[in-house]
Amino acid sequence: MGIDAAGTIDIKDLGTVTRLGYGAMRITGKGIWGEPADLDAARAVVRSAVEQGVDFIDTADSYGPEVSERILAETLHPYPDGLRIGTKAGQARTGPDQWVPLGRAEYLRQQVELSLRRLGVEALDLFQLHRIDPKVPTAEQFGVLADLQREGKVRALGLSEVSVAQVQDAEQYFTVASVQNRYNLTDRRSEDVLAYCTAQQIAFLPWAPLDAGRATEPGGTVEAIAQRLGASQHQVALAWLLQRSPMMLPIPGTASVAHLTENLAAADLVLDAESVAALDAVA
């Protein structure tokens, strides 16, 4: 069946997308800094994602910084009908692998304007606050997001790395369409957030979905299940996520067309109850 087997999800204020997307962080340089080592390869994986049916791509102003958004626009603009691109702002970059929360209202507004320019759109499909800045009142951060939506600069709004309480706080200012927290087989610290998102029909985008650590070591549970089902360990990890919640929208990232194709094939993998129980017990 291909990627369509993953099913679809309705994102509030945005619409329906296929429930397996692509994360465009890895098309930048080492440390998520600067240009990719092979620009042609980066463009090829972006094109292949869309050709294989991906209709939701996740990026951020800080990936590069600016590099990921620019490559997406250079490769895909004018965008195919139905393609949605979600981006983020709220983290300054001071060097490779360095991320500094920055949530001043004027900064967030500036970054939205720059993302609009780089992506070549009149409104961002989904704009997510990359991190809540502890040095800035949340009212200032959430307030400017709500203003940007009212002004038509963004269609849908989301959050990243937040607690249930922070989601509920943000809901006093705008409709929370998505939450992007770290979540995978061995890191389920956001289980309560996932449960809340599922109950409230908020899209949950797990970042680092394939970082399963010890679970994917030789001779481990994931390898045994993968061998039994004739799949890769990454496919098993993604299939588990897809079956975990109907609001789950994995966005595995890669700079390789081969790995992209492998990841997207997880949509066709159905885990039996025995496998699900074994994977549930991994954490």
Side-chain angles (χ1 to χ4, degrees):
M1 289 181 63
I3 191 175
D4 290 344
T8 60
I9 184 173
D10 292 326
I11 300 180
K12 296 176 182 181
D13 294 328
L14 185 59
T16 303
V17 300
T18 304
R19 210 162 59 94
L20 189 54
Y22 171 67
M25 183 174 74
R26 297 293 176 188
I27 58 171
T28 63
K30 185 178 180 180
I32 320 304
W33 186 261
E35 302 295 327
D38 188 335
L39 179 57
D40 289 340
R43 289 173 172 164
V45 75
V46 168
R47 282 193 298 269
S48 181
V50 174
E51 290 168 357
Q52 294 190 61
V54 168
D55 58 13
F56 180 81
I57 295 176
D58 173 81
T59 186
D61 67 338
S62 55
Y63 296 166
E66 304 179 5
V67 174
S68 178
E69 287 184 334
R70 193 194 70 240
I71 290 175
L72 290 175
E74 290 174 351
T75 306
L76 299 174
H77 196 281
Y79 302 111
D81 290 342
L83 177 66
R84 272 58 173 262
I85 297 177
T87 193
K88 301 180 284 294
Q91 294 213 88
R93 299 301 305 281
T94 55
D97 291 317
Q98 296 178 33
W99 310 78
V100 181
L102 183 53
R104 293 285 300 276
E106 62 269 28
Y107 178 76
L108 294 175
R109 178 174 288 279
Q110 168 189 281
Q111 295 309 102
V112 164
E113 293 290 352
L114 292 174
S115 288
L116 287 168
R117 186 185 306 174
R118 282 190 294 269
L119 290 170
V121 294
E122 295 183 358
L124 299 177
D125 291 326
L126 173 65
F127 176 69
Q128 301 170 102
L129 182 60
H130 209 163
R131 289 293 186 277
I132 292 177
D133 186 345
K135 297 179 180 179
V136 177
T138 54
E140 179 176 336
Q141 298 173 74
F142 297 159
V144 71
L145 265 62
D147 289 343
L148 288 162
Q149 187 177 48
R150 281 192 292 269
E151 294 164 16
K153 303 286 186 179
V154 302
R155 295 188 174 92
L157 292 167
L159 305 167
S160 180
E161 278 306 293
V162 287
S163 65
V164 171
Q166 288 170 326
V167 176
Q168 292 172 333
D169 186 12
E171 288 176 322
Q172 304 305 308
Y173 296 83
F174 55 82
T175 297
V176 177
S178 67
V179 168
Q180 188 167 341
N181 280 17
R182 182 184 176 91
Y183 187 89
N184 53 54
L185 271 170
T186 56
D187 188 346
R188 305 181 200 176
R189 286 172 291 181
S190 288
E191 195 71 62
D192 60 333
V193 181
L194 173 60
Y196 183 81
C197 288
T198 301
Q200 300 300 316
Q201 296 186 309
I202 298 170
F204 186 91
L205 284 61
W207 65 268
L210 300 176
D211 187 9
R214 70 182 190 283
T216 55
E217 292 176 354
T221 300
V222 180
E223 183 182 60
I225 292 172
Q227 290 178 347
R228 180 163 57 83
L229 299 179
S232 73
Q233 294 196 56
H234 282 177
Q235 289 168 343
V236 169
L238 288 170
W240 177 80
L241 286 171
L242 287 168
Q243 291 182 225
R244 191 76 173 164
S245 165
M247 298 310 296
M248 190 79 77
L249 174 52
I251 46 169
T254 178
S256 160
V257 172
H259 289 161
L260 168 73
T261 301
E262 175 188 325
N263 291 339
L264 297 182
D268 284 319
L269 183 61
V270 178
L271 301 175
D272 55 78
E274 178 185 351
S275 296
V276 171
L279 293 167
D280 286 349
V282 164

